[in-house]
């Protein structure tokens, strides 16, 4: 679960509102006095993440507008100066840890508020930047993910990235850092050295292609703004529309079979509540995942990839023997190639010597044996009598 929450929720016009509307810093500051967060309940957020089937949660600690959801020794433009006053990040981290979830922080190096950012006194911004990241990594217990988001129109020479990475890893040796810590515009003419590329890729508002070489996650949003060119809406917007659960499940299935993760965003309201329709989509996803979790968690994409009927994932035992899960899904099938009714499925023999096939499908026929017949260089898979291909996903477990 990705959570975009900050002052930008108050005007309800997106997290880029300060920049898009060219609001001066002193005018934007006024939103601090409206940020009461009266209904903020991080335990409820964590419970919702668990019910939705999430395993890690990422909160915006600071976005491009420069406002920090935590008190800082390096700034006064923080939650401490609002009527709410309390440390949002501290409470969030405690709730996430108590729920048994992994904890992540989003932090923006780009900053529209700080007067020293990318000026001739940028060294003063670096003191602030390094200092705030250190605060996030030393105050709140175990941090599993740092999710950076662009350094703006700059050069890496202005950021001392190797020192930053070294410091982060000293605090949390096993932390994962995304590939945007060193993402600049206009400054990097050459490919990044390997040690500066980050631990995982982050395709935004698009589903990633099959990739087993580099870890990746698609960051997607449950809400859209009608009539805009952008495909997602990150923070709370009053006129946002909610993606249907079928679309959300399609995102997840695509990434499962292509060896990626899904980081799914919701933008809480100014008070700290969730839009009911968006919350219902997350809850419905969790109910669906509950049936299929064996074929979702701790799996890798493949070995059947980019199939007309869908795709597959697998897990291997200590001897390398694979259990393969075929996701026969109209949601990701090629147009016109969706399997319907009880039409048999044919797959190539890839040398795994499957001897048993069972069914995992939403509420009907779970655990039933599926007829598995070897025909030359392929297998023929026939559903049990009375069972048809599901409109969302039918999983065939091959052993």
């Amino acid at each position: 679960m990705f959570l975009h929450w900050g002052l930008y929720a108050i005007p309800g016009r997106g997290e880029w509102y300060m920049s898009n509307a060219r609001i001066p810093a002193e005018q934007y500051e006024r939103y601090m006095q409206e940020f009461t967060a009266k209904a903020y309940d991080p335990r409820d957020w964590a419970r919702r993440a668990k019910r939705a089937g999430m395993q890690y949660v990422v909160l915006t600690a600071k976005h491009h507008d420069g406002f920090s959801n935590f008190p800082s020794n390096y700034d006064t433009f923080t939650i401490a100066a609002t009527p709410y006053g309390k440390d949002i990040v501290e409470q969030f981290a405690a709730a996430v840890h108590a729920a048994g979830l992994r904890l992540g922080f989003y932090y923006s190096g780009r900053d529209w508020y700080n007067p020293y950012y990318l000026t001739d006194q940028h060294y003063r911004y670096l003191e602030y930047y390094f200092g705030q990241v250190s605060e996030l990594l030393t105050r709140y217990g175990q941090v599993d993910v740092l999710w950076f988001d662009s350094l703006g129109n700059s050069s890496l020479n202005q950021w001392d990235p190797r020192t930053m990475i070294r410091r982060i890893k000293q605090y949390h040796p096993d932390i994962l850092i995304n590939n945007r810590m060193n993402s600049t515009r206009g400054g990097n003419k050459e490919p990044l050295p390997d040690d500066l590329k980050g631990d995982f890729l982050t395709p935004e508002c698009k589903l990633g292609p099959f990739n087993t070489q580099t870890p990746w996650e698609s960051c997607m949003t449950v809400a859209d703004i009608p009539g805009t060119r952008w495909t997602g809406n990150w923070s709370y917007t009053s006129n946002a529309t909610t993606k249907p659960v079928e679309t959300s499940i399609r995102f997840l299935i695509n990434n499962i079979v292509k060896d990626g993760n899904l980081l799914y965003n919701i933008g809480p309201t100014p008070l700290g509540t969730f839009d009911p329709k968006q919350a219902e989509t997350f809850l419905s996803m969790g109910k669906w995942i509950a049936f299929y979790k064996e074929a979702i968690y701790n799996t890798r994409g493949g070995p059947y990839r980019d199939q007309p009927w869908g795709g597959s994932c697998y897990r291997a035992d200590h001897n390398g023997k694979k259990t393969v899960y075929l996701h026969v899904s109209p949601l990701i099938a090629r147009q016109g190639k969706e399997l319907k009714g009880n039409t048999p499925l044919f797959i190539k023999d890839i040398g795994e010597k499957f001897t048993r096939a069972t069914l995992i499908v939403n509420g009907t026929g779970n655990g039933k044996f599926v007829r598995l017949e070897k025909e030359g260089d392929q297998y023929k898979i026939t559903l049990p009598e009375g069972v048809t291909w599901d409109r969302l996903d039918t999983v065939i477990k091959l052993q």
Side-chain angles (χ1 to χ4, degrees):
M1 180 181 278
F2 211 178
L3 293 143
H4 276 65
W5 196 42
L7 295 188
Y8 39 79
I10 295 170
R13 295 174 62 182
E15 72 287 348
W16 274 72
Y17 177 57
M18 181 182 181
S19 175
N20 291 341
R22 300 184 179 180
I23 300 176
E26 61 272 14
Q27 181 180 338
Y28 191 78
E29 285 176 351
R30 298 171 189 169
Y31 287 122
M32 282 200 297
Q33 300 313 310
E34 300 179 45
F35 199 46
T36 62
K38 286 182 178 179
Y40 175 50
D41 183 354
R43 292 172 297 180
D44 179 63
W45 289 12
R47 284 193 295 268
R48 290 178 183 273
K50 291 274 284 190
R51 290 172 186 162
M54 310 299 186
Q55 294 191 314
Y56 58 108
V57 189
V58 180
L59 172 70
T60 48
K62 190 200 84 164
H63 211 284
H64 305 330
D65 63 352
F67 177 78
S68 301
N69 278 327
F70 59 99
S72 174
N73 294 326
Y74 298 88
D75 198 10
T76 57
F77 189 45
T78 76
I79 193 64
T82 68
Y84 183 72
K86 292 175 285 187
D87 190 338
I88 282 174
V89 173
E90 180 181 41
Q91 298 172 72
F92 178 81
V96 168
H97 287 142
L101 295 163
R102 300 280 189 166
L103 176 65
F105 295 138
Y106 169 111
Y107 187 90
S108 171
R110 183 203 303 257
D111 196 309
W112 301 321
Y113 179 86
N114 192 294
Y116 304 119
Y117 170 70
L118 296 183
T119 67
D120 57 0
Q121 296 188 61
H122 183 66
Y123 67 90
R124 299 180 70 172
Y125 181 78
L126 284 186
E127 293 174 2
Y128 159 84
Y129 171 57
F130 274 74
Q132 282 210 320
V133 171
S134 294
E135 288 175 329
L136 285 171
L137 296 180
T138 57
R139 291 179 176 177
Y140 306 115
Q142 178 63 38
V143 182
D144 302 291
V145 177
L146 261 186
W147 216 100
F148 289 97
D149 193 15
S150 176
L151 301 175
N153 295 298
S154 60
S155 166
L156 276 187
N157 293 332
Q158 295 169 276
W159 293 95
D160 196 6
R162 286 188 171 87
T163 299
M164 173 62 85
I165 291 175
R166 186 164 58 248
R167 179 175 296 189
I168 291 169
K169 296 289 186 178
Q170 284 173 341
Y171 291 137
H172 296 282
D174 296 324
I175 198 170
L176 297 178
I177 306 170
N178 74 341
N179 66 326
R180 301 190 186 192
M181 196 197 88
N182 299 310
S183 174
T184 66
R185 293 184 177 182
N188 293 341
K189 302 300 183 183
E190 302 296 330
L192 283 174
D194 287 344
D195 63 331
L196 299 183
K197 289 181 178 179
D199 296 311
F200 61 97
L201 306 178
T202 54
E204 179 172 338
C205 286
K206 60 184 177 182
L207 300 177
F210 189 93
N211 180 3
T212 60
Q213 301 305 307
T214 306
W216 62 274
E217 66 177 13
S218 292
C219 51
M220 310 289 285
T221 70
V222 73
D224 289 320
I225 304 177
T228 61
R229 64 177 179 82
W230 189 239
T231 55
N233 177 46
W234 296 98
S235 68
Y236 170 75
T237 305
S238 57
N239 65 337
T241 60
T242 302
K243 290 185 175 70
V245 67
E246 291 82 3
T247 300
S248 306
I249 291 172
R250 176 172 65 85
F251 295 164
L252 181 59
I253 296 172
N254 177 89
N255 289 18
I256 291 165
V257 302
K258 294 183 179 178
D259 207 43
N261 282 356
L262 175 64
L263 183 63
Y264 209 28
N265 181 79
I266 189 169
T269 70
L271 295 180
T273 59
F274 289 169
D275 175 276
K277 290 183 179 179
Q278 296 174 24
E280 181 59 34
T281 291
F282 274 70
L283 180 61
S284 297
M285 284 185 70
K287 291 178 179 177
W288 181 87
I289 288 169
F291 288 104
Y292 295 91
K293 56 187 178 181
E294 178 186 349
I296 296 173
Y297 300 122
N298 302 313
T299 61
R300 300 298 306 268
Y304 295 97
R305 52 181 288 185
D306 300 324
Q307 297 296 305
W309 42 264
S312 76
C313 61
Y314 72 92
R315 59 166 50 89
D317 64 18
H318 62 281
N319 293 318
K321 182 67 175 176
K322 291 187 178 71
T323 297
V324 174
Y325 301 91
L326 307 178
H327 286 264
V328 184
S329 172
L331 299 178
I332 63 168
R334 295 177 201 164
Q335 189 171 3
K337 298 295 184 180
E338 307 91 343
L339 289 184
K340 300 177 180 179
N342 58 1
T343 305
L345 168 66
F346 292 89
I347 61 170
K348 289 184 178 180
D349 177 5
I350 56 174
E352 293 293 334
K353 297 182 180 179
F354 300 123
T355 59
R356 184 171 70 162
T358 50
L359 183 68
I360 302 175
V361 68
N362 193 351
T364 305
N366 283 353
K368 285 188 176 180
F369 283 100
V370 176
R371 184 184 300 172
L372 181 67
E373 303 171 277
K374 185 72 184 301
E375 294 187 356
D377 63 350
Q378 62 182 355
Y379 287 97
K380 178 182 179 182
I381 296 171
T382 307
L383 292 174
E385 186 176 350
V387 177
T388 57
W389 298 109
D390 188 74
R391 68 183 184 88
L392 300 180
D393 193 17
T394 304
V395 174
I396 305 297
K397 178 180 179 180
L398 298 176
Q399 295 171 286

